[in-house]
Every structure is written in structure tokens, then in C-alpha cells.
Amino acid sequence: KQEVTQIPAALSVPEGENLVLNCSFTDSAIYNLQWFRQDPGKGLTSLLLIQSSQREQTSGRLNASLDKSSGRSTLYIAASQPGDSATYLCAVVSYNTDKLIFGTGTRLQVFP
Amino acid sequence: ETGVTQSPTHLIKTRGQQVTLRCSSQSGHNTVSWYQQALGQGPQFIFQYYREEENGRGNFPPRFSGLQFPNYSSELNVNALELDDSALYLCASSLGAGPATEDFFGHGTRLTVV
């Protein structure tokens, strides 16, 4: 059974810092991995989608890497801003389930 | 904005009642998935509908049921509500039901059962 873990559960940093959020999954047989942002009480906004054949994806200040063999992904946020404060969720689509399986998220607070 | 809309935004129901949540897909999308997100947890897959047929179901009891209409909008119905059903219910639409397709989420419906 696929399990997705995110570390740390919460993070509080001053504005301007570069950040790394971690995601690990137990079964490397995945189709893709996706990072989402969720503002309090709101839905999910897709940030980056990495197919299993890819190693990384970049969008603006965000960079996500995927190491399928070790079951890990990292989301790198450069020059963090207060507007980046949100919960970040990673999710994988496994061969055996075909549906998104989510981690519990990292709650990020960036203070001025 | 993803173009996926959900209604209502918030809802309060009493234990034992029934509830219907609605989702309108992004234009052109024929697949809808429903997720339940309890407070402090990641979303959990409930079920998926592809072209009006159920196409996969998570570990949820039969009192959770759904429909997809010819225009690909969808409903989630929950009977005999329990306190633990209190959660944010998220709908996601995609073009196709394959694993490589990207899901686009709505803002969710916050259900509180008292």
C-alpha cells in the first residue's frame, strides 16, 4: 500500500530564505508526482507535475525534483515571501491505485 | 482559477441527515473525482466518475454515493451523516481517466455535522 510522508509538518521562516520541503513515498512504481498549494480552508492549486520519466520541473521560484528509485521528492522555494504562506501537499499516482495519494502536508509560514 | 466550481461553500447538517454536494467540471473535462479532507490531513480519494460511470472507489462505505450527468457535472451524496463526516470535500476534474492526466481542483465544500 502506497504511503506518502511529508517532512517537516510545519515550518516558520523569515522572508527571503530559500526553503526545501520534503516528500517521500513507499512504492516507487508511480506514474507521476504532483505538488499542490492549499490556502486555509480552500481548495488545491497545482504547482508542479513531474512525470515518472522526468527528474525535475521548474516554475518561477519553485523547483521540484523527483528521485523515483529512492522514493523522494523535494520542493525548493527560492527567496520566500509572506505570500508563500500556505500548506504544501505532495501526491503520487501509483500503478496499483491509479488515483492521487496525498501526504499530510507541510504548513509553511513566511514572516516579514 | 481552475474553472471547477463547487456548491455550496459551507454546509451544516445534523447527524443522521443526508447531504448532496455539487461540482461543475472545467469545460471539456469528462472525468470527476471526489476527495474528503479531514482537518490537518491530506485529501483521501472517495470515488471517480468517467463518462457517467463509476471508475474506481476508495475505502468509503456505501452511504457515500455519486452521480455524473451528461454535461459531466457531478454530485456526491452522503446518507446517514456521522460526526466524522465533517470535512472539506474536494472535487477535481480532468480530461480522461488515465493515471497520467492532471487533476484540477475546486475550492471545496466545508461540511460540518453536529
Side-chain angles (χ1 to χ4, degrees), chain B residues 39-71:
Chain B
L39 200 61
Q41 301 297 313
Q44 295 208 347
F45 174 71
I46 303 174
F47 44 57
Q48 182 185 81
Y49 279 83
Y50 171 63
R51 293 186 173 182
E52 304 178 59
E53 297 287 330
E54 187 177 289
N55 181 49
R57 187 180 181 91
N59 190 25
F60 281 81
R63 59 190 184 84
F64 285 77
S65 63
L67 279 174
Q68 188 180 31
F69 299 100
N71 66 356

Side-chain angles (χ1 to χ4, degrees), chain B:
Chain B
E1 292 297 324
T2 63
V4 179
T5 57
Q6 293 186 242
S7 63
T9 305
H10 297 89
L11 200 53
I12 299 174
K13 288 286 190 178
T14 303
R15 189 171 50 182
Q17 284 188 315
Q18 179 266 343
V19 69
T20 297
L21 310 182
R22 294 179 174 83
C23 173
S24 177
S25 306
Q26 185 177 112
S27 178
H29 284 185
N30 54 17
T31 304
V32 172
S33 303
W34 286 91
Y35 291 81
Q36 180 196 65
Q37 186 178 23
L39 200 61
Q41 301 297 313
Q44 295 208 347
F45 174 71
I46 303 174
F47 44 57
Q48 182 185 81
Y49 279 83
Y50 171 63
R51 293 186 173 182
E52 304 178 59
E53 297 287 330
E54 187 177 289
N55 181 49
R57 187 180 181 91
N59 190 25
F60 281 81
R63 59 190 184 84
F64 285 77
S65 63
L67 279 174
Q68 188 180 31
F69 299 100
N71 66 356
Y72 301 134
S73 66
S74 177
E75 287 182 354
L76 164 65
N77 299 288
V78 187
N79 294 321
L81 283 167
E82 301 177 359
L83 296 179
D84 284 350
D85 295 334
S86 296
L88 181 68
Y89 287 84
L90 295 163
C91 161
S93 76
S94 61
L95 181 59
T101 58
E102 186 172 0
D103 290 285
F104 295 86
F105 283 80
H107 288 295
T109 293
R110 171 72 62 188
L111 172 64
T112 302
V113 182
V114 297

Side-chain angles (χ1 to χ4, degrees), chain A residues 31-32 34 36 38 41-44 46 49 51 89 93 98-100 102-104, chain B residues 35 37 40-43 45 48 55 88 90 97 99-100 102-103 105-107 110:
Chain A
Y31 287 107
N32 57 53
Q34 201 163 353
F36 294 89
Q38 185 173 33
K42 302 294 186 182
L44 307 181
S46 179
L49 170 67
Q51 301 292 351
L89 293 157
V93 178
D98 217 21
K99 307 296 183 284
L100 284 167
F102 285 85
T104 53
Chain B
Y35 291 81
Q37 186 178 23
Q41 301 297 313
F45 174 71
Q48 182 185 81
N55 181 49
L88 181 68
L90 295 163
E102 186 172 0
D103 290 285
F105 283 80
H107 288 295
R110 171 72 62 188

Side-chain angles (χ1 to χ4, degrees), chain A residues 62-78:
Chain A
L62 305 179
N63 175 276
S65 66
L66 174 64
D67 184 343
K68 208 172 67 161
S69 60
S70 67
R72 293 183 182 183
S73 176
T74 60
L75 178 66
Y76 177 82
I77 303 176

Side-chain angles (χ1 to χ4, degrees), chain A residues 12-77:
Chain A
S12 182
V13 299
E15 182 177 6
E17 279 205 3
N18 300 323
L19 309 171
V20 175
L21 307 183
N22 297 293
C23 173
S24 61
F25 45 96
T26 54
D27 185 352
S28 61
I30 64 169
Y31 287 107
N32 57 53
L33 182 144
Q34 201 163 353
W35 282 93
F36 294 89
R37 169 187 172 135
Q38 185 173 33
D39 292 288
K42 302 294 186 182
L44 307 181
T45 300
S46 179
L47 299 173
L48 292 164
L49 170 67
I50 312 176
Q51 301 292 351
S52 62
S53 59
Q54 298 175 319
R55 297 283 294 183
E56 66 178 336
Q57 283 282 358
T58 298
S59 176
R61 294 182 294 109
L62 305 179
N63 175 276
S65 66
L66 174 64
D67 184 343
K68 208 172 67 161
S69 60
S70 67
R72 293 183 182 183
S73 176
T74 60
L75 178 66
Y76 177 82
I77 303 176

